[in-house]
Amino acid sequence: MSNFARYNPLPALRHLAMAASLSLTLAASSVMALERIVVADGALTEILYALGEESRIQGVDTTSTYPESASALPNVGYLRQLSAEGILSLQPDLLLTTQDAGPPAVLQQLRDAGVRVEQLQVDYSLQGTLALVRQVGQLIDQSEASEQLAQQIEQQVQAVAGQLADLPMLFVLNAGNRGLLASGTDTRAHALMQLVGGRNVFADFSGYKPMTNEAVLLAAPQVVLVSHADGDLSLLAQHPALSLTPAAQQGRLYSADHRDWLVFGPRLADAVAELTALIQADL
């Protein structure tokens, strides 16, 4: 008789089966734990709707205006000024938001109360939008559906992007008492101008900065996009910083207010196509 005991694989197999079962249980529990979601960012809200997961949404912020049914959900305030009390009253498992959310003290208060807070980092570009879709899909166990959505968005945007052939463009934020601020790089506005094929005339700085009359005149934008237009664009066209630009003289000022050009979500192709068509009609 052999001096070696015969190997019995059953205990090892049982161990592997138990480990696999535990892994599946934990994964299922993780997904179930995210059944009640508060969303603070319009693009994230649209992604959840596009993935067919709107039933999980318990509340949204003021940037979540599409689809129309999202506006009927409880509102937790503006993205950068969220209310801890309002969010906690909805008993969420998860606050799904972006790096723009705040204030930090409110986010920490939510974490201390046991709410999972996911602040997704967003790069405002086509590739950044696709990455955001995939991140949301992984988070809610919808990776396959989110991959299909990302591919669809990419195809749609590529079909309409880049038609304005390096057209000099300026994006202006009407900041009230602070005057007019111009968009540099690292903004949604800059990304939008790039997607339609335009050239941001102030791509030599990052973020938003006050613009001088002389700098705008030298930049000679052919198109000016305005956020917070605050009234008639024809009046804004008379502003000393804009009045002598080709854009103002040829009537190519466009208000970004009440449009979804800067959402960078599933409807990004619609935004690119709409803005492109408006400008092309006036060229």
Side-chain angles (χ1 to χ4, degrees):
M1 190 172 181
S2 172
N3 292 327
F4 295 97
R6 185 175 180 181
Y7 172 65
N8 182 358
L10 290 179
L13 290 174
R14 291 193 189 100
H15 177 75
L16 289 173
M18 291 175 62
S21 176
L22 178 59
S23 177
L24 289 172
T25 299
L26 289 174
S29 299
S30 176
V31 173
M32 290 176 64
L34 301 181
E35 284 303 310
R36 298 181 62 85
I37 302 176
V38 169
V39 191
D41 187 279
L44 295 175
T45 299
E46 290 192 32
I47 291 170
L48 286 176
Y49 269 87
L51 292 174
E53 295 294 333
E54 63 271 21
S55 63
R56 301 196 198 193
I57 304 176
Q58 307 303 308
V60 296
D61 74 320
T62 57
T63 70
S64 300
T65 59
Y66 184 92
E68 187 176 347
S69 55
S71 299
L73 293 168
N75 195 287
V76 296
Y78 174 51
L79 173 64
R80 298 179 187 272
Q81 292 293 330
L82 298 173
S83 162
E85 292 76 13
I87 294 173
L88 290 174
S89 70
L90 300 174
Q91 300 180 316
D93 306 306
L94 168 70
L95 170 63
L96 180 61
T97 188
T98 64
Q99 74 264 28
D100 295 329
V106 167
L107 301 182
Q108 188 57 51
Q109 185 178 349
L110 295 172
R111 294 186 183 98
D112 292 342
V115 177
R116 180 175 175 180
V117 176
E118 289 286 349
Q119 279 189 278
L120 303 184
Q121 298 298 307
V122 186
D123 169 24
Y124 294 111
S125 64
L126 172 57
Q127 293 305 315
T129 300
L130 304 181
L132 185 65
V133 169
R134 293 180 175 115
Q135 285 183 74
V136 173
Q138 292 172 359
L139 190 61
I140 63 171
D141 198 36
Q142 290 290 345
S143 295
E144 184 175 345
S146 67
E147 181 60 34
Q148 293 175 357
L149 178 60
Q151 291 179 11
Q152 176 183 327
I153 294 170
E154 184 172 28
Q155 292 169 2
Q156 291 173 339
V157 172
Q158 288 178 343
V160 296
Q163 298 185 34
L164 296 183
D166 205 37
L167 189 69
M169 299 176 67
L170 166 65
F171 190 99
V172 174
L173 173 64
N174 186 357
N177 293 335
R178 291 189 293 160
L180 299 182
L181 305 179
S183 168
T185 60
D186 303 313
T187 67
R188 300 187 193 206
H190 176 77
L192 177 66
M193 289 186 278
Q194 285 190 313
L195 279 172
V196 298
R199 173 174 56 83
N200 184 358
V201 296
F202 286 126
D204 57 342
F205 62 83
S206 175
Y208 283 88
K209 289 186 177 181
M211 58 188 198
T212 65
N213 300 352
E214 295 77 8
V216 176
L217 183 62
L218 288 173
Q222 295 284 334
V223 168
V224 174
L225 308 177
V226 185
S227 181
H228 300 168
D230 194 24
D232 191 342
L233 281 178
S234 63
L235 295 177
L236 188 62
Q238 298 172 24
H239 189 283
L242 301 175
S243 61
L244 296 180
T245 65
Q249 293 183 340
Q250 296 168 24
R252 290 197 290 267
L253 271 68
Y254 307 93
S255 173
D257 299 332
H258 313 298
R259 301 180 187 271
D260 293 327
W261 292 342
L262 302 179
V263 173
F264 282 80
R267 294 178 299 137
L268 181 57
D270 294 341
V272 173
E274 179 184 9
L275 178 56
T276 299
L278 279 175
I279 295 172
Q280 286 179 332
D282 292 332
L283 289 176

